[in-house]
Amino acid sequence: MSTPDATPRTPATLSSPHADTLHGTNATTLPRQAAPAAGTSAPPGDAPGGGATSPLPHQPPPAADLPATHGGSSDGVGGSSVAGGVAVGGEVSAVGGGFSDGAGGSSAAHEVPAAAGAVGVTEGSAGRPPQGRGRPSPGRAMLRLLGSELGLTFRKPRNIAMLIVLACVPALIGVVLRAFGGDVDEEMPSLITQVAGNGLMLTFVALSLLLVMLLPLSVSVVAGDAIAGEAGGGTLRYLLTAPAGRTRLLAVKFANVTVYALVATSVVAAGALVTGLVLFPVGPITLLSGSTISVGEGLVRVLIVTGYTAAGMAALGAVGLAVSTLTEVPIGAVAATIVGVVFSHVLSAIPQLEPARPYLLTYWWSSFDGALRDPIATEGMTQGLLVYGAYILIALSIAWAHFTGRDITS
């Protein structure tokens, strides 16, 4: 029968739970205390011949027994290291380097799992908790989404082509009036006959002519494609996987349509203004009321007319957006919106339906001529803006009610 080996065990090392290699750098290893000398009592389970491995001592070792470590462990993601200390069993060893927090370059204190007690990291005198990169605010997230939506809208060749056409048509109108306007002055409306005497009037002529069909068509294409295009292309489901929410997405879509309406109207006004300055003389403007204003005040009237027209196109865009939530076919949404515009024009032309005209959206588009009177006919333009607002409110309510309850998983 063999006797237990009474030879005292030599000091062994016990690796810390973090002694594994992190991208090529070994973590700190902690020395294990030697067996108690002869004549002293050993903790339970550590007697010679017991066959059990001695656990770490319950009392923290002296600070001198802990090795000084120069350099530190890196988590391999890349970041700047911070100097600090590692507390093991209540004592702190001198750490010359530190470790990287791996958050793209920002240094912060971290908690690591305990080894022989509580293991923590201090940040020297700062001692602040880690500063994580928080989620963006709802306003900033909405602006990012709107920027992305505007980028997609103004990069589409179809939308760019429509803007080019809107810029070229006023130039074509100016060339025609320059070439043939002198022969038909008696048969043309007074607004057009004044273009020959002042190039600034070409802006008002171009807007009044393009408001009949071409400008509403360009806005209807963008509005009809807003939701129906995403649903038909299968990208609407992936859009809603982002934490944007359907209400916020619908608001971004309407804002995108409104910006496009403003840009399209401004392109028409700018193209007509440049053409008028090139082909016709420029001077004081004679308004429809018979009074004369300066060129500078005339440019202010141009801005007023442009803004009023853009508001009318935004109201049409809200109607097109509501129609776009009802179908997955973009062409169908665009066609339905244009049919509504034509139908409204027809109703406005029937004398027997004159009491219904104030409720038609297209009836108020031509009210921008209030800016061509002295003083400005603000009553008619204000009523037109109220009608635009009512159309926007009703159309967006319909769009929201249908879009928020729509099944987009199929």
Side-chain angles (χ1 to χ4, degrees), residues 285-389:
I285 300 176
T286 301
L287 301 176
L288 298 179
S289 57
S291 58
T292 303
I293 60 177
S294 63
V295 175
E297 189 174 351
L299 292 176
V300 174
R301 303 293 179 99
V302 169
L303 293 177
I304 295 175
V305 171
T306 302
Y308 181 86
T309 305
M313 293 298 98
L316 178 63
V319 175
L321 185 61
V323 176
S324 182
T325 61
L326 304 177
T327 180
E328 294 183 0
V329 183
I331 297 298
V334 175
T337 306
I338 293 300
V339 168
V341 171
V342 175
F343 188 69
S344 181
H345 280 308
V346 172
L347 293 180
S348 299
I350 299 177
Q352 290 79 4
L353 298 177
E354 184 175 357
R357 289 178 182 176
Y359 300 97
L360 300 176
L361 179 62
T362 58
Y363 174 78
W364 298 98
W365 286 352
S366 59
S367 296
F368 70 81
D369 61 357
L372 302 179
R373 305 182 185 278
D374 193 22
I376 298 177
T378 57
E379 183 178 356
M381 298 183 68
T382 302
Q383 190 172 357
L385 292 176
L386 292 176
V387 173
Y388 296 160

Side-chain angles (χ1 to χ4, degrees), residues 214-298:
L214 192 55
L215 193 55
L217 175 62
S218 63
V219 175
S220 299
V221 169
V222 176
D225 189 62
I227 301 296
E230 301 281 3
T235 57
L236 185 58
R237 288 178 295 177
Y238 302 104
L239 261 180
L240 293 179
T241 57
R246 300 195 181 194
T247 301
R248 187 182 301 177
L249 179 61
L250 192 64
V252 168
K253 293 289 186 180
F254 175 67
N256 174 67
V257 174
T258 302
V259 171
Y260 185 85
L262 178 60
V263 171
T265 307
S266 302
V267 165
V268 174
L273 186 61
V274 172
T275 303
L277 294 177
V278 172
L279 299 180
F280 302 99
V282 177
I285 300 176
T286 301
L287 301 176
L288 298 179
S289 57
S291 58
T292 303
I293 60 177
S294 63
V295 175
E297 189 174 351

Side-chain angles (χ1 to χ4, degrees), residues 64-146:
D65 291 339
L66 297 178
T69 304
H70 300 279
S73 63
S74 171
D75 59 0
V77 184
S80 59
S81 59
V82 295
V86 179
V88 182
E91 298 296 330
V92 179
S93 63
V95 180
F99 70 99
S100 172
D101 64 353
S106 60
S107 301
H110 286 249
E111 291 184 359
V112 295
V119 179
V121 178
T122 60
E123 200 182 24
S125 59
R128 293 188 298 269
Q131 297 286 338
R133 184 179 297 177
R135 294 177 59 184
S137 62
R140 182 174 299 178
M142 191 169 182
L143 288 178
R144 287 182 181 178
L145 187 59
L146 177 59

Side-chain angles (χ1 to χ4, degrees), residues 5 26 50 72 108 136 150 152-153 161 177 293 299-300 307 310 369 392 406:
D5 187 9
N26 293 330
L150 290 174
L152 291 175
T153 298
L177 292 179
I293 60 177
L299 292 176
V300 174
D369 61 357
I392 291 174
R406 179 177 178 178

